[in-house]
Each structure stands twice: as structure tokens, then as C-alpha cells.
Amino acid sequence: MFISFVRTIILYFAIILAVRVMGKRQINQLQTSELVVTLLISDLAVIPMQDSGQPLFSGLIPILVLIALEVLVSVFMLKSSRFHRLVCGKPVVIIKDGRIIQENMQELRMSVEDLFEQLRQKDVFVLSDVTYAIVETNGTLSVVKKAAVDYLRPSDMGVKAKDEGLEVVVVSDGDLSVGSMHLCGKNEEWIHSILKSEAVPLSEVFILTVNTAGHYTLIRRDGSLKKGVKK
């Protein structure tokens, strides 16, 4: 029993390492090669996890080989666009100027129902509103709306919008995040100066968000909220 417990822990961390090496992607963003490797790794890990008589390395070695192959394939795809197209395919246009390109739909074996479902998820409910709809290599649908029905942007009105920069959580449940502080270009001294000006100890902070422009939002554990700016 104890041996199975230890083997499971080892395989668990081995799979985490494998996913980390392949990069940070959601399931629906995986390329073909990454999806294949992910499925194979999950199957390979189950065998030594369930069968304690099976040598642990019989599961670890194939996993390591698959990771190495995926890294090698990704390097080749970076070097050669032709190889990238061979492994991952290429984007396919299925709508142009509000007209469905039927031959491309048939090539992808994509039904009209699937197409309209994905269009609705992109806030498109009228086919004629679409300039281009493209199925990307990972299967997601990218949609370009016609200018007349697209969202109005400040630049369309000749208005220059103010960029507030990146907002990050620098304090969560009383704990400082050094990485988040670096992201927004702030330091620990700057954070503590805000807490001092608001007369709030660090232990009483539920959430403190800060952006690169110096705007902050402070939420205390009691639920009270305070916004401010510190240069």
C-alpha cells in the first residue's frame, strides 16, 4: 500500500513536470502534437500507478521520451514553417464577406450547427455581420466583424483613451506577492507606504490591487473598500 502511495506521488510530479515543459495552455488551445503527448502520458502513468508489480521506470522512461520528442518537434516547428503546417495544419477560412465557404466546411467536417454555436459564443448572431471567420490550427474560431456592427472604439471617435497599465494583486489575504510587485514596477516599500497612509496593517488586508499608473484598490477583511492613487 505504501509503495503504491509513493509511486503515485512520483508519477504525479512527473506529469506536472511534463505539462510544464510543454508550456502553459488550456486544453482547447493544445496543438495536435501536444494533445497526442498529453493523452499518451496520462495512459502511460496509469499502468505503473495501478500495478505495483510493474517497474516504476517502465512508466517514467516512456514519459520522458515523449517529453523529449515534444520539445524536439516544437523546435523543428519553430525552424520550419513547412514542418509546422505538416504537424499542426493551417488556418482555414470558412466565412468570407458573410458567405459560408462550403468546401472548406466539408474539408474540416464541421457542421453548420457547430459553426453557428461558435459564432454565438463570439457574440455574432447574424451571418451577414461577419467579414471573416477562420478556424485556427488548435480548432478555435476567430471572427472579424464588419466595421458597421463591430464595437465602437475610442479611436473611432477621435478620443485618446488613457492607458492605466497592468493591474495586479500585490497583497492577497495578508501575504505580499513579490512577483506581482515586479510586474507593475513597484517595491515593498511603496506597498507599505500605501498601507501606512490608509492606516491598515498588512494582516488586515484581504486584497490590494495596484496598476503601473499608481492606482490602487484596497479591500480589508471586513469588506470595506478604498481606492486611491499614489505616484
Side-chain angles (χ1 to χ4, degrees):
M1 187 69 179
F2 178 73
I3 294 176
S4 297
F5 177 73
V6 173
R7 289 160 68 97
T8 302
I9 292 175
I10 293 172
L11 288 167
Y12 171 74
F13 284 108
I15 294 171
I16 289 179
L17 176 63
V19 175
R20 289 281 291 172
V21 169
M22 288 191 297
K24 297 181 179 180
R25 291 180 187 261
Q26 297 178 7
I27 294 297
N28 64 345
Q29 295 176 331
L30 292 176
Q31 296 289 355
T32 306
S33 61
E34 295 170 329
L35 180 60
V36 170
V37 170
T38 302
L39 293 174
L40 287 174
I41 286 176
S42 61
D43 285 340
L44 287 169
V46 169
I47 299 172
M49 196 179 294
Q50 292 180 335
D51 186 3
S52 58
Q54 187 84 10
L56 183 59
F57 281 102
S58 66
L60 287 176
I61 291 176
I63 290 175
L64 293 175
V65 171
L66 285 172
I67 295 173
L69 282 174
E70 172 55 30
V71 172
L72 191 62
V73 167
S74 64
V75 170
F76 282 140
M77 286 195 296
L78 284 173
K79 300 291 185 181
S80 171
S81 58
R82 182 177 296 180
F83 183 74
H84 186 277
R85 288 194 300 270
L86 179 65
V87 175
C88 300
K90 60 181 180 180
V92 178
V93 178
I94 56 173
I95 298 177
K96 183 178 181 181
D97 292 328
R99 185 181 68 87
I100 296 176
I101 304 175
Q102 297 183 35
E103 53 269 27
N104 289 351
M105 291 274 292
Q106 293 171 1
E107 178 187 341
L108 295 173
R109 294 186 296 279
M110 186 178 192
S111 69
V112 175
E113 289 77 12
D114 290 337
L115 172 60
F116 275 82
E117 179 182 348
Q118 293 194 51
L119 286 175
R120 289 192 294 270
Q121 292 173 353
K122 299 290 183 178
D123 294 328
V124 176
F125 297 90
V126 180
L127 186 62
S128 58
D129 290 347
V130 180
T131 301
Y132 285 99
I134 304 168
V135 177
E136 306 293 352
T137 56
N138 60 6
T140 58
L141 184 70
S142 299
V143 176
V144 179
K145 298 180 184 178
K146 292 184 177 179
V149 296
D150 205 355
Y151 295 112
L152 190 64
R153 298 168 297 180
S155 58
D156 297 328
M157 301 292 293
V159 177
K160 186 177 181 180
K162 188 177 180 181
D163 187 5
E164 299 292 348
L166 177 69
E167 183 179 39
V168 295
V169 178
V170 292
V171 180
S172 176
D173 203 15
D175 290 329
L176 272 169
S177 174
V178 176
S180 295
M181 286 189 290
H182 290 164
L183 278 176
C184 64
K186 309 302 179 186
N187 55 35
E188 193 169 339
E189 183 181 355
W190 191 89
I191 301 299
H192 281 294
S193 66
I194 292 177
L195 300 180
K196 185 177 180 181
S197 65
E198 298 290 347
V200 180
L202 182 63
S203 59
E204 289 299 315
V205 178
F206 178 54
I207 292 176
L208 175 61
T209 63
V210 174
N211 66 17
T212 49
H215 294 77
Y216 64 86
T217 301
L218 173 64
I219 304 176
R220 302 182 60 161
R221 291 186 186 275
D222 60 11
S224 60
L225 183 147
K226 181 68 180 291
K227 294 187 177 183
V229 183
K230 179 175 174 57
K231 300 298 183 181

